[in-house]
Amino acid sequence: MKPLEEILKDVSRCVYCGFCESVCPTLPFGPHRGYGPRGRINLIINSIKEGNLSQEAASSIYSCLLCNACSEVCPMKIDIAGDIREMKALINRGAFGPISIKIRER
Amino acid sequence: MDKNAIKELVSSLGEEKVVTDKEIVRLYSKESSGLSGNAIAVLFPESAEEVSRIASIAYRLEIPIYPQGSSSSLSGNAFPSKMGVIVSFERMNKVKNVSLIDSVAIVEPGVRIEELNFMLEEKGYMFPIDPASQSIATIGGAINNGAGGLRGAKYGTMKDWVNGLEVVIPDENGTRLSLGCLTIKCRHGYDLVRLIIGSEGTLALVVGAALRIVPIPERVVTILSFFNRLEDLLNAFVEIKESGVQPYIAEFMDKKTVELAAKGVDISFSPNGNMLLISIDTTAESSGRVMNWLVDTMKRHNAIEIQSALMQQEAEEKGLFKIRRNLFSAQSRLGKKEGRPSRVFIEDIVVPPSKIPAAVSKLREIGEKYGFIVSLGGHIGDGNIHPSVVYDPEDEEEKKKVYRWFEEVMEVSLELGGSISAEHGIGTMKKGGMKMEFSEKSSEKAIDIMREIKAVFDPKCILNPGKVFDC
Amino acid sequence: MSLMNARFVAELLKEVSLKTMLPVPVKMDVIYGWAINEGLPRSGKRYLYTGGLYQLLPYINETVKYIKVLEKSSSGELALRAILDAIKVNPYIISSFIKPKPSEVNASYRILKSISRLVSKKVELAYLYEDDVYSGVLLYDMGLDDAFYEHAKKVYEKMLRRKATNLITVDPHTTYILREVYPKFIEGFDLEVKSYIEVLDELGIDLRGKARPKWGLVTIHDPCYYARYLSIYEQPRRLLSAVGVEIKEVRRSKKMTFCCGGPLEAMSPKYSEDIARSRMAELSSKSKVIVTMCPICRANLERVKEEGVTILDIAELLSEA
Ligand SMILES: Cc1cc2nc3c(=O)[nH]c(=O)nc-3n(C[C@H](O)[C@H](O)[C@H](O)COP(=O)(O)OP(=O)(O)OC[C@H]3O[C@@H](n4cnc5c(N)ncnc54)[C@H](O)[C@@H]3O)c2cc1C
Ligand code: SF4
Ligand code: SF4
């Protein structure tokens, strides 16, 4: 639903503070930072800018619960869960080619 | 070299603890300062023993190691500035033991400060170092950055709260050492614990810490006041200090910064002017008396708006900390150009608290000279100021200007008898500043001594190389 | 480690939804079965819209279990692909494998009856029966926007045909999707959507007699979609207080509630369970009685329930008063 530029504009405001990581339910049980909001947001930035997405990155994004705890504490008020959902839609539409999603818990 | 190294690390740690996916590695190659580099892998040790194996392999293969907690550093301390492996301590995050009778908590380095405090709170205790980033700052990161916080004036910084450390040094065996004691009193030769605190991961890998803890004060009264003149604000603070009271929290923000930080904050009073936020720990019986005295003091020094709370919960309900907590958010947004990438640059100088008015007026002058909107806030209790600007990292002209601004800010601290870094450390960004400071103090030799110390701990210069100074 | 391709789940969901308008292939009476003897009128202005989440959840979880079994079988991905192809032809082909525990189905029916009776006391309530179709929320959450759009259009048409102006919803996900997302996808969407919790809070709750708090002290697990997306967190507390229930809050409550992990269940049950277990530990440290108000939270916490813990839907508690 959101145009690509709008997603990119929103996520690009991230200042990498990591505050969002302190409230994310998936991060503590995931294999790495990709499974948390700071990671997901920056994977989105990099993949939209560069047009490619690894399976590991796509899976990290996919594992989000959309619970939105992260946005509550984000000092930049980024619509984190909303942007992640849009990214799932982009992946589904094949924007990054056929990627299989393999969610890994730690 | 890379392939061999990865192979060896995987066979030593298991595939599951070695991440090489480029996009994921990239996430660990960046820190909050906005600086980023690249690395061949991120390693996730789960025990001191595994850290020791990593150190030994890296030593043998001469691969740089970049230790990392949450990478919330602001001076280039945590990012990989050369190719190497990142060692993330995020999985070593257990609180192993808490003893109230010994007033000590034994923790792994990946425990976040706030998490530790949630646990201690249930027992009526706390770990008092509370950087604004405490929700993510790890014990290992805070130790190595020598972090401080709002309660700095009363409780000092990390260096005052670590009794003992378990460390691993990069040699053939990845030797593990137990330094310091479980107790506060501890006099066995040179204090290597204090040497490692603030060493920014350049001397040893911290794999465990024995932290001092204290009871949460019975009551904390809070008063938030606004002043037209910064001098009045300072005089009010001086009077508190001269009355023999050491505030629990003493924060200030100048008028312009208050305007920025108050935007979008939901509070029932109208913040206007220079802000002073004071909390004092008391007993239940004395809280009323202390509060009356505080209100009276603020009034005598011409405060134009005063809000007070007799208890922590009341202060939260009234939103007395909201403006202060919004500082980083305001700092990150101010002066941001729509649609352009932006980076916040948060400075971290310290001057004797009595010099704060002089520092503020100089900092304002410099900001205007470069045409930056500068926010000025900090810990008046300990003299630590965080002037900050937002700039466009892709605009070369602006970057140069920021750099010159940054140098001049550091000069201000030295002119006023302070230091170029209070709590964020040197990293890559303040290497020049550190030289400037020691040469100002005619003590260049101090840096040579540091270099030699570094070589003893880390002869191959593989631990966080390129940070603090080059080796 | 579970390495199922999550896109398979998405694909399956899409196919089944397109064919049956439900996320799992069951007969429509599964959805309105609870209302058979409730005597709710078929038409009116205010409709109860369950969106089927309470009723479907036992079936959804069984489907996930079934897929897991297939995945672990010797033919693994091949078997999954074969099923997907078969479903494209006839989605009901897997129905006979999906047999949830009757107790779970009964529990969701019981909750819905409680809700409908509570609300009926205050407003004239009609029911959609066979038009009480599923909202498409899982399609939206998985980012299957095209399928969601197609689905939502059909749902809206049904509502228009029933001349509905107000919908009273029963779970946070359906409330959110109807109130916040439908208007963005469907031009001219014009229905007032309220959760029954909001309705009861506004109109007050009728107490049968003097409130006798049978459960004493409870703790609340706020669902993310009520608390954060819709700012509904004081309302349930006011209702519980009104019926004399005392609440002991966990640290992560209201706007800062902690997700139960439910939405990951279909993609990685173990992951979802780890999250649920950590939440269970936090909740049970405050009270052995946990109040939920979302079928997903309920099911996910139920799976990791500790000894001596009771999980109650808020509707069950309110209807006892
Ligand atoms: C918004 C914001 C506000 C902040 N406010 C404050 C503040 O009020 N006060 C303050 O002092 N700082 C502050 N900081 C800076 C920073 O958050 C702190 O220094 C924090 O303690 C760093 O913790 P970390 O876990 O992120 O460490 P990292 O950034 O990951 O690492 C810090 C340093 O320690 C090293 N290191 C990490 N773990 C280990 C280990 N186990 N062994 C050896 N070396 C290790 C790293 O190599 C690096 O040099 C702030 C930062 C941000 C973004
Ligand atoms: S919305 Fe996703 S990224 Fe944000 S806290 Fe929840 S699980 Fe984590
Ligand atoms: S809290 Fe917001 S700005 Fe900070 S890292 Fe997370 S997404 Fe980025």
Side-chain angles (χ1 to χ4, degrees), chain B residues 238-297:
Chain B
V238 168
E239 186 175 331
I240 293 172
K241 289 287 287 272
E242 285 180 350
S243 311
V245 174
Q246 178 59 64
Y248 185 67
I249 290 172
E251 294 287 305
F252 89 103
M253 269 154 101
D254 89 330
K255 192 175 158 75
K256 267 199 189 155
T257 314
V258 168
E259 261 169 43
L260 289 165
K263 256 186 219 150
V265 173
D266 166 34
I267 33 176
S268 59
F269 49 92
S270 52
N272 181 21
N274 301 290
M275 183 188 98
L276 178 64
L277 174 69
I278 301 273
S279 292
I280 292 176
D281 47 327
T282 71
T283 58
E285 293 75 22
S286 63
S287 60
R289 179 170 52 81
V290 173
M291 181 52 81
N292 288 340
W293 169 71
L294 276 173
V295 171
D296 199 48
T297 307

Side-chain angles (χ1 to χ4, degrees), chain A residues 15-17 19 33, chain B residues 31-32 66-74 77-78 87 89 109-110 113 130-134 136-150 199-202 204-207 324 328 346 379 384 386 423-424 464 467:
Chain A
V15 292
Y16 226 74
C17 65
F19 286 11
R33 191 174 278 174
Chain B
E31 61 171 44
S32 301
Y66 291 94
Q68 202 174 87
S70 290
S71 65
S72 67
S73 287
L74 293 171
N77 329 39
V87 176
F89 286 95
I113 295 179
D130 58 345
S133 54
Q134 62 174 322
I136 42 144
T138 63
I139 295 296
I143 288 173
N144 278 278
N145 273 355
L150 259 54
S199 67
E200 303 183 20
T202 62
L205 295 150
V206 171
V207 293
R324 173 61 185 86
F328 175 61
I346 301 182
H379 319 293
N384 184 189
H386 295 302
E423 55 185 20
H424 296 171
N464 212 1
K467 312 302 173 70

Side-chain angles (χ1 to χ4, degrees), chain A residues 52-69:
Chain A
N52 55 322
L53 189 68
S54 67
Q55 176 182 311
E56 191 61 31
S59 306
S60 310
I61 291 166
Y62 234 83
S63 65
C64 172
L65 296 157
L66 305 180
C67 77
N68 220 16

